Amino acid sequence: MFDKKVLVAGCGGLGGYIIEMLLRLGVREITAVDGDAFDESNMNRQIYATRYTIGKNKAEIAAQRALEINPEIKINAITQFIDQDNVDSIVHECDIAIDALDNIESRKLLAASCSKYGIPMVYGAIGDFTAQAAVIYPGDKLLEELYKAKAEKLNTVSFVPPFCASMQLSLVYSLLKGEKPESNKLYIAGLDDLFFQEVKFK
């Protein structure tokens, strides 16, 4: 087991798969953050969305799942959305933060807090058939480069979130082992025609 505390911000499409894999990978502690509840529209792409979890908070369901898989891992469920008032208190004690958020404003808040406390953030985003991931270190400007223009929110299909989550967990695994994946490098996968690309930012 890795003696690390990992924050997962968002427990929906990406976050559910990320938490599922983290539990099986073995870390000391997970903080799962999400103020949202499951609804029927989540069923096509969110692993913890079932007939029995509709209407229930996503972070709490993730915590229940943790007990089923690996009760040795401590999991903290925070049933709030990340905002300006709570982000620092959520971030400051973690070793690695994983971005599984679905909006740019919250993602930027998380990245700014991680930079403030010297914590690497593993970014991930999906849209249509595309998945992308990167490690954002304190001081990196990757998010600013990615979101110079307002991003269009796209629907996706069931197999894209777990693929993107796996890309993110590969980077997290390197960090857990004490390695340092390259900064300002964005990994992109297109699952409609199976293309893979790396983009290096200055």
Side-chain angles (χ1 to χ4, degrees):
M1 182 176 288
F2 295 99
D3 188 23
K4 299 291 184 182
K5 182 175 180 180
V6 179
L7 166 66
V8 182
C11 302
L14 290 178
Y17 287 103
I18 287 167
I19 291 168
E20 186 80 7
M21 288 184 276
L22 272 178
L23 291 168
R24 298 171 190 278
L25 192 61
V27 293
R28 171 173 55 86
E29 186 173 347
I30 297 170
T31 297
V33 185
D34 204 313
D36 198 14
F38 288 109
D39 61 45
E40 290 185 358
S41 70
N42 303 146
M43 296 282 281
N44 70 325
R45 67 191 184 283
Q46 299 190 19
I47 191 172
Y48 295 150
T50 72
R51 291 181 298 158
Y52 307 104
T53 62
I54 297 300
K56 297 181 180 179
N57 176 266
K58 296 179 180 182
E60 289 184 339
I61 292 300
Q64 292 175 21
R65 178 64 171 169
L67 292 174
E68 298 175 7
I69 297 175
N70 193 342
E72 293 184 7
I73 292 176
K74 179 181 179 182
I75 184 161
N76 312 302
I78 298 179
T79 59
Q80 302 171 14
F81 292 108
I82 282 182
D83 59 28
Q84 188 71 57
D85 294 327
N86 65 19
V87 64
D88 283 353
S89 65
I90 291 171
V91 165
H92 80 283
E93 290 186 344
C94 73
D95 297 300
I96 300 168
I98 305 177
D99 160 32
L101 296 163
D102 63 357
N103 67 89
I104 299 169
E105 181 181 356
S106 297
R107 182 170 284 137
K108 287 183 175 179
L109 282 174
L110 179 64
S113 186
C114 287
S115 186
K116 177 179 178 180
Y117 290 105
I119 296 164
M121 184 183 95
V122 179
Y123 159 81
I126 53 177
D128 201 10
F129 289 92
T130 302
Q132 54 186 29
V135 179
I136 299 176
Y137 296 101
D140 286 355
K141 303 298 182 184
L142 181 59
L143 280 187
E144 286 82 349
E145 291 293 326
L146 291 175
Y147 296 115
K148 284 181 176 178
K150 186 175 180 180
E152 180 183 1
K153 193 168 183 179
L154 301 173
N155 292 322
T156 191
V157 290
S158 63
F159 53 84
V160 178
F163 193 95
C164 185
S166 295
M167 292 169 65
Q168 289 179 269
L169 256 293
S170 177
L171 296 169
V172 170
Y173 185 58
S174 294
L175 292 169
L176 289 171
K177 292 189 297 179
E179 300 170 358
K180 188 175 181 181
E182 192 171 348
S183 65
N184 289 310
K185 178 177 279 191
L186 182 69
Y187 300 91
I188 305 170
L191 301 187
D192 51 347
D193 53 3
L194 290 178
F195 81 83
F196 301 91
Q197 184 179 6
E198 297 177 6
V199 179
K200 179 66 177 176
F201 291 84
K202 292 182 180 180

